[in-house]
Structure formats: structure tokens, C-alpha cells
Amino acid sequence: MSLRRSIAVRLTLLFATVATLVLAALGVAIYLSARHDLVAQDFIELENKVALISDLAGNGPADGRALRLREALSHHPDIAFHIIDDRGSVLFSTAPALLRAHARLQPIDSTPRRHDWILADGRCMHALHLRQALADGSQLITLLAIDDDRHAAFLQRFRHLLAIAIIAAAVASSLLGGYVVRRTLRPLRTLADEARQITAGRLQRRLNARSAPAELEQLAQTLNGMLARLQQDFARLTEFSGDLAHELRTPITNMLTQVQVVLAHPRSNEAYRETLVSCAEELQRLAQIVGDLLYLAQAEAPGALPSREPVALDAVVDSLLEFYELLAEDRQLTLRREGAARIDGNRLMLHRAIANLLSNALKHATTGSEVRVRLAEADGVCRISVHNTGTPIAPELLPRLFDRFYRGERSRHDGAGLGLAITRAIAQAHGGTVSVVSEPTGTTFELVLPRTRP
Ligand SMILES: Nc1ncnc2c1ncn2[C@@H]1O[C@H](COP(=O)(O)OP(=O)(O)OP(=O)(O)O)[C@@H](O)[C@H]1O
Ligand SMILES: [Mg+2]
């Protein structure tokens, strides 16, 4: 089983890829949301400090402000402060020079607004930069900032944890997906195993369609249908080889016996001649059978119609009636054609099909009766029927008439039983059918052929 073609491998890979992508997207979303929350918390902390500064600086004597601010704010090493009063003196400052230099170029807000500043050294700072009005009427210019790096270590650990969790989940879901896919495809393997058991000698076996899942049930039923047809065809083929051997054996045995008898003692020239004549007859019969079989094989092959041409069937029938005229006179039969029809088909094949029906009708017609060929066209089909009066064919024999080598009791010695099989093959090559109706009043064979290529 090639890996590239295996449905299980493909589905597993697809499942693993989708699971990994979904988990990775989820991981990125979780990480970004956590990071966003941390920054928001940083700003809330800065805003709280703004309120605290306002309280500390506004309540109490002005000359103690710097001290009060230092005592309260110096425990927050993570936050950079730079607080200036309205006279320009610095009350409290922990901000590095680079941050102060950056702040000097930035607008001073009147209410707290959140800023993300990138300093000259590339660091990112979350900052508030505002003018605060105090309770005693004076003002402060306050700068507070937190380095974005503050959570770097935590975020890195979080990233690692997420990556490990995602990889583990992707591996687990891929393995699980692989297992599920393999389990799901098991019925397919069962079907394949069952199919492998079916050989020419075990064509009666069928796939178990009912135990297959719904999606495979139809496939199994279709395959079973195909097996049934194959079994039928195979049986017919076996029967045909048997019949063929049987057919060929009789004339060969006849010849062999005659030749052995003649060779057993010295004979007159006349006796040798008789034997040769008799052998020639048998050989003629064999040649006829082999020729008919070859013709049948060609007519039954797909695309058997060599070429189509417009054929006037009345002319074909007339030439055949003329051909059979002498034979008919011998048996005091009258031959008649009714109607006319034209068809796109193969003249030689149609000639042969009608000839086969006519020769049968002449063989089986009651002496002194009429053999009638009727031609008609209607609804895009052309009907050719050949009727003769005679002993009706038993209904149970009707389905077998068109089989190869089938012949009735009376025809046992003068035909091979291939005429009707050939006629049917010709009808099918033209996209048509042949049927028979046999009643006490007579027997009618009818060819129904589409007038143009179907
Ligand atoms: N018009 C008919 N009336 C009665 N029986 C018929 C008629 N046509 C055919 N059959 C029966 O059908 C059998 C098969 O006919 P088919 O033409 O295939 O073979 P065949 O005439 O015996 O031999 P072949 O045509 O090969 O010389 C005949 O042997 C005969 O028993
Ligand atoms: Mg015949």
C-alpha cells in the first residue's frame, strides 16, 4: 500500500494539520489576550498612583509634599516617576534621563491618557503624562511609566507552557485521529478481503453488503450485481465450450470411424471415393460451424457494426425471396413480401439476419402454405417480421431458441443451431431486438431495429 495513496495516511495527516493549526491559533489568541490584560493592569496601576499623588500632594502643607511623595512612592521600583510642581522644582523623580528626554517632547494631557512610548534605546514604556490640579489650587506635572519588559519573564514562561501544551495536544489528537480513521476504514479492508476470496471457481460468493457502513453498502451492492452478471456470463461461456466440443466431436468421430473401417482392409477405388465424399460432407459441416461461430464472435464484439449505410429492406427481402424461390417451389410454398422500409444499417448483416429467419420459416412451414415477410416503419423503428404456418413451438422452448447450438428435434441433423444466435447478435449490433411469437396459426419472428443510429 503506497503511503501517498493511502486514505488513512491522508486523513490522519489532514486531521493532524487541522488540529495543530486550530490549537496554534487558539494559543496565539490566549497569549495575546493575556498580554493585553497585563498592559491594561499596568495602566490601572498607574491611574491609581495618579490619584494617590493627587491626595498626597493636595492634602497637607505644601513644603512637606516632596517628603510625603518620596515616602509613599519609593516602594514602587517598577514604576518610573517624575513629578514637578508649578514652580518648576522636582518633587520626586525616579525616571531615567532617556525617559525624561522623551517626555519633554510629548504633549501634557489634562486627564490621564494611556501612551505607549518607544524610547531612543528601543525600550517600550506604558506612560501617563499629565497636568494635575490639586485641592489647594496649585498644579503638578506628573510623569509615570512602566517598562513593557516588566512581564517579559512571565510571558516567556507562559509562551513555553502554551507551546508545550499545543504540541502535546496536536500529537494526542493526531494519534487519536489516526486511530479513528483506521477504525472507520476497517470495513473497507473487510470488503477487500472478501473480494480477494472470490475467484473464477468461487463466483457464487458475494460481498456482505449489509454489514458494510451506509457509504459502502451501495458500492458492495454494485459489485455484487457485477459478480452476478459475471457469474452468469461465465456459466454461459462454460456451457458454450461444452456445447462446442460436443458439436465438433460428432463430425470428427464420424469421419474417424469411416476412415478406420475403410483402412482396415484393402478396398475398391469406389469404396475409397465414397468415404472421401462422406468425409467432405462432414468437413463441409465443420467449416460451416466454424464459419458461423467466427461470424457470431465478430457480430457480438462491441462496436461490431463495420459501417452503416441507407438500406432499402424491400430490395434485400426481394432478392432473398428470389434466392429461395426454387426451394419454396419444391415444398409448394408461396413467398410474399408486404410493405417496405428503409434503415441505416449494414446491408450484409441485415441480409444475413433475414436470410436466417427465412431459411427457418421455409424449413418449418407446412407444405402448401405461405411464408410472409412484412416490413413496416413507425416511431423511428423498423419492424421486419417473418411468418410461417406450422406446428407451434412449445412455450417452454421459446427462451432457448436464440441460444447457441440450440435446435429442435426436427432440425437435429440439418443445422448447427447458430442461425438465431447470429440473428440476435446482428439485431443487438444495430441497437435492436428480435422476438418470437408462436401460436397454433403459425410462428412469427420479428426484428425491431432503430431506423437511425441510436
Ligand atoms: N419458424 C420456425 N418454426 C418452428 N421452429 C423454429 C422456427 N425457427 C426456428 N425454430 C427452432 O429454433 C431452432 C434454432 O434455430 P436456428 O436457426 O438457431 O438453428 P437451426 O435452424 O437449427 O440451424 P442453423 O440455422 O444454424 O442452420 C431450430 O432448430 C428450430 O427448432
Ligand atoms: Mg436456422
Side-chain angles (χ1 to χ4, degrees), residues 240 291-301 404 418 421-423 425:
F240 170 63
D292 279 356
L293 279 176
L294 208 59
Y295 190 89
L296 190 58
Q298 282 163 357
E300 279 182 342
R404 296 163 187 182
L418 290 171
I422 289 175
T423 303

Side-chain angles (χ1 to χ4, degrees), residues 305 308-314 316 340-347 350 354 375-377 380-384 426-427 430-432 447-453:
L305 216 52
R308 279 177 186 265
E309 62 206 315
V311 179
L313 289 171
D314 28 319
V316 172
R342 296 180 72 79
I343 186 174
D344 279 349
N346 184 272
R347 180 188 302 275
L350 291 168
I354 302 172
L375 300 175
E377 282 174 9
V381 296
C382 170
R383 293 174 184 277
I384 309 161
I426 292 173
H430 282 78
L447 282 163
V448 180
L449 310 174
R451 292 199 52 228
T452 49
R453 184 189 291 273

Side-chain angles (χ1 to χ4, degrees), residues 292 356-357 359-361 363-364 388 391-393 401-403 406-412 414-421 438 443 445:
D292 279 356
N356 288 351
L357 295 182
S359 87
N360 285 351
K363 242 190 277 180
H364 299 280
N388 71 279
T391 324
I393 307 167
L401 289 193
F402 298 93
D403 288 353
Y406 174 79
R407 51 203 163 181
E409 280 306 318
R410 287 183 50 207
S411 314
R412 193 98 310 175
D414 52 17
L418 290 171
L420 287 178
S438 197
T443 300
F445 281 86

